[in-house]
Amino acid sequence: MSLFKQMAIMLSLFLGIILISVMILNFKSATEFVQNQLYTDAKNTAYSLGLSLSKVADPSDTSSMETMINAIYDSGYYQRIRLVDVEGKEIYTRENDVRVIDVPQWFIQWVPIQNATATSDIMIGWSRFGTLEVSGHTGNAYRQLYSTLIDLSQTFLMIGAVVFGLLYLLLSLSLKSLKRIRDQAKAIIDNEFIIEKKIPFTTEFRSVTVAMNAMVEKVRDIFERENETLRRYHELLYKDAETKLNNRRYLTAKLPDYLQSDASLSSGVYVMVSIDDIDRLKREKGYERYSKLITHLAEEMNAQVGPFHHALIARLNESDFFAALPSCDTSSVVHQIEKLLLNVKTVIEGIDSTVSEYLVIGSAVGTYTEKDTLKSLFSRADHTVTQAKLRGNFLIEIDQEKEDSLILGREEWRNELLQSLNESRMLLAFQSAVEQRAGELSIIHEEIFLRLLDREGTIHSAGYFIPVATSLGLIDTLDRYMVEKVIKHVKEQNTMTPLALNLSGDFVKKYANIQWLRSHLELFSRQSDLKLWFEVSNTTAIHELEAVSTIASMIKMFGYHFGIDHFTIPESGAHYLQAIRPDYVKANSAYLQDMMFDDTTGKSRESFHNVVRSLGISIIAINIEEPQEVEKLKELGIERFQGTYIAPVSLL
């Protein structure tokens, strides 16, 4: 129960008891007053009427006495008037039963009134004639008391409403600062750093607010400091000092995420640009002209191939540049490379026309798929670019190796994918992510992948059709199919192991998809206690930050987990994690070892761990292929793993 409710109930009870006590005392006093007044009126009437009766000259003239008694009795204020002689014999009596119409019976029973009788001796001359007895009418007393009760109740209800209204207002104002402290505490739990600007005037609340602000400042300062350290180290580790492009180390750490069989980036076009005799240029023309050429070539790489979606550009060594362009075809890239070579040729001629006599530049353009490895891809690229340089200067060689998936036309692919959904030939596969702690192995979730069963009975990995589905705008349709099929599987099989579903960028950036997912999760959460895990790629999280933040909040609202797959720190740092607040990140094993282990000193680096730990994020190492990787990562504090060494991908 909230403090506001506790204080409101306590003060309400206190004020209620006071008001009720005062009202009871007032009503009790009014009852006693009416009781006394009833007797007093009867007594006064008995004396005054007795005096009038004493003035009757003839004691036998009872008719005059009856007239006087009737005149008093008919006023309605008396229940009984009785005249008796000295011997106690009744001379005349007027009496009526008590009937009160406008007073409820429960009130009459609840408030007993004792009707006292007043007497007066009647003297005619010097002789005692008799005794007059007068009893007041209790109906009038009940009416008066009931009216008093109604007035008291209305008055105290009005006073109570005013008092409780003021009480609510004062409590709200007093506890408003406490609510801000509560919101600040909740924000800290959600890994948000909020500084409370309004300092309460209440001493205790002021102390708490100042302490909370100091704590938030400290945590935020740790995050900012570690984030900056990590960003600088990332730049030092993965950036080429001369061109500011990514270096070979970054390419070898990041490219496996592109080549993964279940990544939407797993097919596309590669570009390699190579320069021969670069050392001679440096030796004969000087470092400044060499630097000018290399810098311009890097700028051209960014200008010509950088605009392609998810382009990965790197400098492999002093004379070779490489780019991976997902979901592209060679025809759209060759024209850009021609412009690149033409612009570089112009720069070389501007440096010295004699340079072009020995400086040979060639380019290779080809396709890559999920079946490629780093070694095979670099080998093909080296061979193709060598062929280009053997044919002449500033030429492009096309790698003719093609994939079967490119044979089908766009409409044929569209029909094949849609028919596979209608015919349930789109299968679910899974790979377990595990946690190793204290020698015990436990499954934290099973990540779901799509597999395509073609008409010949061959099962293809997602890398075979996901890039094509992305280019056709069908990827969010596949995501909806996956979600529906997973929910159906859970209901039919009563699955107990949590399942993780990877959502595409096309899915999360459409508001209609988010609403569709919300409606399905609302129904699923009422029917099953299984906790689902949802993931998006790191690239999607960076480029669709607002949409990812929205869907992450919605997913966590149902008590499910949200994570980022293929995580790497971008050049801008890890601030986007504060907006998304993921529960976990999945990062390549090689990348984690680069970021968390210093080969020079042999010690672990804490910045990466501190950044994610300050935001309450857990780390899952992926692409684990060797047992040595597990042991090395465990030394760095990583306890969650996923990869072919841990568990292969199997059909669900």
Side-chain angles (χ1 to χ4, degrees), residues 482-499:
M482 176 182 63
V483 172
E484 289 176 337
K485 195 153 188 176
V486 164
I487 291 176
K488 181 180 179 182
H489 170 79
V490 172
K491 292 179 181 178
E492 292 178 350
Q493 303 297 326
N494 196 23
T495 304
M496 302 301 295
T497 305
L499 302 177

Side-chain angles (χ1 to χ4, degrees), residues 61-115:
D61 188 7
T62 57
S63 59
S64 298
M65 295 182 182
E66 290 175 4
T67 301
M68 293 180 185
I69 292 174
N70 289 338
I72 298 299
Y73 182 82
D74 290 341
S75 65
Y77 290 101
Y78 305 99
Q79 181 178 340
R80 188 182 68 170
I81 300 178
R82 181 169 179 254
L83 179 64
V84 296
D85 59 17
V86 291
E87 296 177 356
K89 184 179 179 182
E90 185 177 281
I91 300 174
Y92 185 69
T93 300
R94 289 295 304 272
E95 184 176 8
N96 193 10
D97 295 335
V98 178
R99 292 181 182 179
V100 185
I101 299 176
D102 51 353
V103 177
Q105 188 63 32
W106 61 264
F107 181 78
I108 296 174
Q109 295 175 352
W110 180 56
V111 183
I113 296 179
Q114 301 298 328
N115 193 359

